[in-house]
Amino acid sequence: QVQLVETGGGLVQAGGSLRLSCRASGSILYIKSMSWYRQAPGKQRELVASIIPTTGRTNYTDSVKGRFSISVDNANTMYLKMNSLKPEDTAVYYCYAEKVATATLLRDYWGQGTQVTVSS
């Protein structure tokens, strides 16, 4: 059974920093890509950043470029380091893993979400 567990959310003042973690657990053979999405109240869920574990290639939405950094380690844990946080970064942040392969299954997974609140 594959699970994505996020940690690291919280309340921070504008200009501050947070680091989110997403650990993919289970008998995982391969993950095509991992991403962070966020959803603010009344808004659609949006892609924040993504990474391909095998190549390290990353992609960021324009509003976070230069402030956020995505990474992944060899233990299938993905991180999002968020610097210079702004009130408009306030949202629930979700971890997403695309095409996770185990010995018997290939599918996508979502984490449960972690709240990030940036006060002005």
Side-chain angles (χ1 to χ4, degrees):
Q1 180 81 7
V2 174
Q3 285 187 315
L4 301 183
V5 178
E6 299 136 337
T7 57
L11 172 64
V12 64
Q13 288 189 331
S17 299
L18 282 174
R19 190 179 80 155
L20 306 182
S21 300
C22 170
R23 179 173 176 269
S25 64
S27 301
I28 296 171
L29 301 176
Y30 171 80
I31 301 176
K32 179 180 179 181
S33 71
M34 297 184 77
S35 303
W36 289 99
Y37 284 76
R38 66 186 180 188
Q39 187 167 20
K43 294 188 176 181
Q44 288 190 328
R45 191 172 295 190
E46 66 167 346
L47 176 65
V48 176
S50 61
I51 187 166
I52 299 175
T54 53
T55 66
R57 181 174 178 177
T58 60
N59 181 58
Y60 298 89
T61 192
D62 286 345
S63 62
V64 308
K65 284 180 181 176
R67 300 189 298 122
F68 290 12
S69 177
I70 189 171
S71 61
V72 63
D73 66 18
N74 293 332
N76 292 326
T77 300
M78 176 177 64
Y79 303 93
L80 185 68
K81 183 68 189 324
M82 304 183 292
N83 296 321
S84 303
L85 282 161
K86 304 175 181 180
E88 51 264 42
D89 294 317
T90 295
V92 178
Y93 283 70
Y94 296 92
C95 170
Y96 172 72
E98 180 189 14
K99 289 186 170 53
V100 180
T102 64
T104 57
L105 196 61
L106 178 68
R107 56 160 286 189
D108 302 341
Y109 293 88
W110 285 95
Q112 81 283 1
T114 185
Q115 176 71 45
V116 171
T117 303
V118 184
S119 63
S120 57

mmCIF file of all heavy atoms in Angstrom, residues 72-97:
data_model
loop_
_atom_site.group_PDB
_atom_site.id
_atom_site.type_symbol
_atom_site.label_atom_id
_atom_site.label_comp_id
_atom_site.label_asym_id
_atom_site.label_seq_id
_atom_site.Cartn_x
_atom_site.Cartn_y
_atom_site.Cartn_z
ATOM 1 N N VAL A 72 14.062 16.100 -4.135
ATOM 2 C CA VAL A 72 13.658 14.755 -3.744
ATOM 3 C C VAL A 72 14.908 13.980 -3.370
ATOM 4 O O VAL A 72 15.964 14.155 -3.989
ATOM 5 C CB VAL A 72 12.862 14.064 -4.869
ATOM 6 C CG1 VAL A 72 13.702 13.886 -6.106
ATOM 7 C CG2 VAL A 72 12.274 12.728 -4.412
ATOM 8 N N ASP A 73 14.793 13.119 -2.356
ATOM 9 C CA ASP A 73 15.951 12.318 -1.961
ATOM 10 C C ASP A 73 15.786 10.868 -2.393
ATOM 11 O O ASP A 73 14.789 10.501 -3.023
ATOM 12 C CB ASP A 73 16.199 12.433 -0.451
ATOM 13 C CG ASP A 73 15.088 11.817 0.387
ATOM 14 O OD1 ASP A 73 14.295 11.014 -0.130
ATOM 15 O OD2 ASP A 73 15.017 12.156 1.589
ATOM 16 N N ASN A 74 16.763 10.049 -2.083
ATOM 17 C CA ASN A 74 16.747 8.659 -2.524
ATOM 18 C C ASN A 74 15.733 7.802 -1.784
ATOM 19 O O ASN A 74 15.520 6.644 -2.160
ATOM 20 C CB ASN A 74 18.135 8.052 -2.367
ATOM 21 C CG ASN A 74 19.141 8.671 -3.311
ATOM 22 O OD1 ASN A 74 18.771 9.145 -4.385
ATOM 23 N ND2 ASN A 74 20.404 8.691 -2.918
ATOM 24 N N ALA A 75 15.139 8.358 -0.731
ATOM 25 C CA ALA A 75 14.146 7.618 0.043
ATOM 26 C C ALA A 75 12.727 8.011 -0.349
ATOM 27 O O ALA A 75 11.796 7.819 0.428
ATOM 28 C CB ALA A 75 14.370 7.862 1.538
ATOM 29 N N ASN A 76 12.568 8.528 -1.571
ATOM 30 C CA ASN A 76 11.242 8.920 -2.076
ATOM 31 C C ASN A 76 10.572 9.977 -1.197
ATOM 32 O O ASN A 76 9.344 9.965 -1.033
ATOM 33 C CB ASN A 76 10.321 7.696 -2.213
ATOM 34 C CG ASN A 76 10.776 6.754 -3.303
ATOM 35 O OD1 ASN A 76 11.305 7.182 -4.322
ATOM 36 N ND2 ASN A 76 10.593 5.460 -3.091
ATOM 37 N N THR A 77 11.365 10.847 -0.636
ATOM 38 C CA THR A 77 10.818 11.979 0.105
ATOM 39 C C THR A 77 11.064 13.256 -0.682
ATOM 40 O O THR A 77 12.201 13.546 -1.061
ATOM 41 C CB THR A 77 11.438 12.091 1.497
ATOM 42 O OG1 THR A 77 11.170 10.898 2.240
ATOM 43 C CG2 THR A 77 10.859 13.278 2.250
ATOM 44 N N MET A 78 9.996 13.983 -0.919
ATOM 45 C CA MET A 78 10.062 15.218 -1.677
ATOM 46 C C MET A 78 9.956 16.390 -0.710
ATOM 47 O O MET A 78 9.237 16.305 0.300
ATOM 48 C CB MET A 78 8.918 15.273 -2.692
ATOM 49 C CG MET A 78 8.825 16.557 -3.472
ATOM 50 S SD MET A 78 7.517 16.537 -4.712
ATOM 51 C CE MET A 78 6.053 16.382 -3.693
ATOM 52 N N TYR A 79 10.663 17.458 -1.041
ATOM 53 C CA TYR A 79 10.660 18.642 -0.196
ATOM 54 C C TYR A 79 10.269 19.870 -1.014
ATOM 55 O O TYR A 79 10.491 19.923 -2.217
ATOM 56 C CB TYR A 79 12.053 18.869 0.398
ATOM 57 C CG TYR A 79 12.577 17.699 1.177
ATOM 58 C CD1 TYR A 79 13.378 16.732 0.565
ATOM 59 C CD2 TYR A 79 12.273 17.539 2.526
ATOM 60 C CE1 TYR A 79 13.863 15.646 1.276
ATOM 61 C CE2 TYR A 79 12.752 16.452 3.240
ATOM 62 C CZ TYR A 79 13.543 15.512 2.610
ATOM 63 O OH TYR A 79 14.017 14.435 3.316
ATOM 64 N N LEU A 80 9.705 20.848 -0.315
ATOM 65 C CA LEU A 80 9.470 22.154 -0.920
ATOM 66 C C LEU A 80 9.950 23.197 0.080
ATOM 67 O O LEU A 80 9.327 23.399 1.118
ATOM 68 C CB LEU A 80 7.989 22.370 -1.241
ATOM 69 C CG LEU A 80 7.684 23.663 -1.987
ATOM 70 C CD1 LEU A 80 8.261 23.615 -3.409
ATOM 71 C CD2 LEU A 80 6.180 23.926 -2.046
ATOM 72 N N LYS A 81 11.075 23.819 -0.231
ATOM 73 C CA LYS A 81 11.581 24.899 0.604
ATOM 74 C C LYS A 81 10.983 26.187 0.102
ATOM 75 O O LYS A 81 11.139 26.545 -1.075
ATOM 76 C CB LYS A 81 13.106 24.961 0.552
ATOM 77 C CG LYS A 81 13.672 26.026 1.470
ATOM 78 C CD LYS A 81 13.476 25.684 2.920
ATOM 79 C CE LYS A 81 13.816 26.772 3.912
ATOM 80 N NZ LYS A 81 14.911 27.630 3.638
ATOM 81 N N MET A 82 10.276 26.876 0.983
ATOM 82 C CA MET A 82 9.569 28.093 0.608
ATOM 83 C C MET A 82 10.171 29.266 1.365
ATOM 84 O O MET A 82 10.125 29.307 2.601
ATOM 85 C CB MET A 82 8.080 27.958 0.937
ATOM 86 C CG MET A 82 7.434 26.736 0.292
ATOM 87 S SD MET A 82 5.665 26.626 0.611
ATOM 88 C CE MET A 82 5.658 26.302 2.366
ATOM 89 N N ASN A 83 10.756 30.192 0.616
ATOM 90 C CA ASN A 83 11.347 31.397 1.193
ATOM 91 C C ASN A 83 10.546 32.624 0.769
ATOM 92 O O ASN A 83 9.767 32.577 -0.175
ATOM 93 C CB ASN A 83 12.790 31.552 0.730
ATOM 94 C CG ASN A 83 13.684 30.431 1.208
ATOM 95 O OD1 ASN A 83 13.567 29.946 2.340
ATOM 96 N ND2 ASN A 83 14.588 29.996 0.343
ATOM 97 N N SER A 84 10.778 33.720 1.475
ATOM 98 C CA SER A 84 10.111 34.990 1.145
ATOM 99 C C SER A 84 8.617 34.800 0.956
ATOM 100 O O SER A 84 8.031 35.265 -0.028
ATOM 101 C CB SER A 84 10.734 35.588 -0.125
ATOM 102 O OG SER A 84 12.119 35.780 0.033
ATOM 103 N N LEU A 85 8.013 34.139 1.891
ATOM 104 C CA LEU A 85 6.596 33.815 1.768
ATOM 105 C C LEU A 85 5.735 35.067 1.789
ATOM 106 O O LEU A 85 6.045 36.057 2.473
ATOM 107 C CB LEU A 85 6.172 32.867 2.886
ATOM 108 C CG LEU A 85 6.588 31.404 2.649
ATOM 109 C CD1 LEU A 85 6.579 30.623 3.941
ATOM 110 C CD2 LEU A 85 5.675 30.765 1.617
ATOM 111 N N LYS A 86 4.656 35.002 1.021
ATOM 112 C CA LYS A 86 3.717 36.108 0.889
ATOM 113 C C LYS A 86 2.328 35.648 1.345
ATOM 114 O O LYS A 86 2.023 34.450 1.271
ATOM 115 C CB LYS A 86 3.650 36.558 -0.572
ATOM 116 C CG LYS A 86 4.976 36.941 -1.183
ATOM 117 C CD LYS A 86 4.813 37.251 -2.661
ATOM 118 C CE LYS A 86 6.149 37.626 -3.301
ATOM 119 N NZ LYS A 86 5.997 37.939 -4.747
ATOM 120 N N PRO A 87 1.487 36.576 1.759
ATOM 121 C CA PRO A 87 0.130 36.171 2.144
ATOM 122 C C PRO A 87 -0.597 35.405 1.040
ATOM 123 O O PRO A 87 -1.393 34.507 1.341
ATOM 124 C CB PRO A 87 -0.552 37.515 2.440
ATOM 125 C CG PRO A 87 0.572 38.393 2.902
ATOM 126 C CD PRO A 87 1.753 37.988 2.067
ATOM 127 N N GLU A 88 -0.316 35.725 -0.207
ATOM 128 C CA GLU A 88 -0.984 35.013 -1.310
ATOM 129 C C GLU A 88 -0.490 33.579 -1.490
ATOM 130 O O GLU A 88 -1.044 32.832 -2.290
ATOM 131 C CB GLU A 88 -0.829 35.788 -2.629
ATOM 132 C CG GLU A 88 0.591 36.196 -2.964
ATOM 133 C CD GLU A 88 0.904 37.616 -2.543
ATOM 134 O OE1 GLU A 88 0.501 38.016 -1.420
ATOM 135 O OE2 GLU A 88 1.566 38.325 -3.335
ATOM 136 N N ASP A 89 0.526 33.184 -0.740
ATOM 137 C CA ASP A 89 0.956 31.778 -0.729
ATOM 138 C C ASP A 89 0.103 30.934 0.218
ATOM 139 O O ASP A 89 0.251 29.708 0.257
ATOM 140 C CB ASP A 89 2.422 31.667 -0.306
ATOM 141 C CG ASP A 89 3.368 32.298 -1.302
ATOM 142 O OD1 ASP A 89 3.173 32.108 -2.520
ATOM 143 O OD2 ASP A 89 4.319 32.989 -0.861
ATOM 144 N N THR A 90 -0.762 31.574 0.968
ATOM 145 C CA THR A 90 -1.633 30.852 1.892
ATOM 146 C C THR A 90 -2.535 29.892 1.134
ATOM 147 O O THR A 90 -3.244 30.292 0.204
ATOM 148 C CB THR A 90 -2.485 31.838 2.708
ATOM 149 O OG1 THR A 90 -1.621 32.628 3.535
ATOM 150 C CG2 THR A 90 -3.483 31.093 3.579
ATOM 151 N N ALA A 91 -2.485 28.638 1.527
ATOM 152 C CA ALA A 91 -3.262 27.598 0.846
ATOM 153 C C ALA A 91 -3.041 26.267 1.553
ATOM 154 O O ALA A 91 -2.165 26.144 2.416
ATOM 155 C CB ALA A 91 -2.832 27.477 -0.615
ATOM 156 N N VAL A 92 -3.823 25.295 1.145
ATOM 157 C CA VAL A 92 -3.522 23.915 1.504
ATOM 158 C C VAL A 92 -2.610 23.370 0.411
ATOM 159 O O VAL A 92 -2.926 23.457 -0.777
ATOM 160 C CB VAL A 92 -4.791 23.048 1.619
ATOM 161 C CG1 VAL A 92 -4.414 21.608 1.941
ATOM 162 C CG2 VAL A 92 -5.718 23.610 2.694
ATOM 163 N N TYR A 93 -1.485 22.825 0.818
ATOM 164 C CA TYR A 93 -0.504 22.298 -0.125
ATOM 165 C C TYR A 93 -0.616 20.779 -0.166
ATOM 166 O O TYR A 93 -0.619 20.108 0.881
ATOM 167 C CB TYR A 93 0.896 22.725 0.292
ATOM 168 C CG TYR A 93 1.194 24.162 -0.043
ATOM 169 C CD1 TYR A 93 0.566 25.207 0.639
ATOM 170 C CD2 TYR A 93 2.082 24.497 -1.061
ATOM 171 C CE1 TYR A 93 0.808 26.529 0.313
ATOM 172 C CE2 TYR A 93 2.341 25.819 -1.386
ATOM 173 C CZ TYR A 93 1.701 26.825 -0.705
ATOM 174 O OH TYR A 93 1.948 28.141 -1.030
ATOM 175 N N TYR A 94 -0.706 20.261 -1.382
ATOM 176 C CA TYR A 94 -0.874 18.827 -1.604
ATOM 177 C C TYR A 94 0.321 18.245 -2.343
ATOM 178 O O TYR A 94 0.815 18.840 -3.312
ATOM 179 C CB TYR A 94 -2.129 18.558 -2.428
ATOM 180 C CG TYR A 94 -3.419 18.948 -1.764
ATOM 181 C CD1 TYR A 94 -3.963 20.208 -1.962
ATOM 182 C CD2 TYR A 94 -4.103 18.060 -0.940
ATOM 183 C CE1 TYR A 94 -5.151 20.586 -1.361
ATOM 184 C CE2 TYR A 94 -5.301 18.424 -0.339
ATOM 185 C CZ TYR A 94 -5.812 19.692 -0.550
ATOM 186 O OH TYR A 94 -6.988 20.053 0.043
ATOM 187 N N CYS A 95 0.700 17.087 -1.926
ATOM 188 C CA CYS A 95 1.740 16.313 -2.598
ATOM 189 C C CYS A 95 1.066 15.384 -3.616
ATOM 190 O O CYS A 95 -0.007 14.820 -3.343
ATOM 191 C CB CYS A 95 2.472 15.505 -1.524
ATOM 192 S SG CYS A 95 3.610 14.277 -2.111
ATOM 193 N N TYR A 96 1.682 15.225 -4.764
ATOM 194 C CA TYR A 96 1.147 14.369 -5.821
ATOM 195 C C TYR A 96 2.282 13.555 -6.424
ATOM 196 O O TYR A 96 3.351 14.096 -6.732
ATOM 197 C CB TYR A 96 0.487 15.236 -6.888
ATOM 198 C CG TYR A 96 0.056 14.509 -8.129
ATOM 199 C CD1 TYR A 96 -1.038 13.660 -8.093
ATOM 200 C CD2 TYR A 96 0.727 14.684 -9.339
ATOM 201 C CE1 TYR A 96 -1.451 12.990 -9.240
ATOM 202 C CE2 TYR A 96 0.323 14.024 -10.478
ATOM 203 C CZ TYR A 96 -0.773 13.180 -10.427
ATOM 204 O OH TYR A 96 -1.179 12.521 -11.565
ATOM 205 N N ALA A 97 2.057 12.270 -6.573
ATOM 206 C CA ALA A 97 3.042 11.388 -7.203
ATOM 207 C C ALA A 97 2.402 10.734 -8.420
ATOM 208 O O ALA A 97 1.347 10.096 -8.317
ATOM 209 C CB ALA A 97 3.511 10.318 -6.224
#
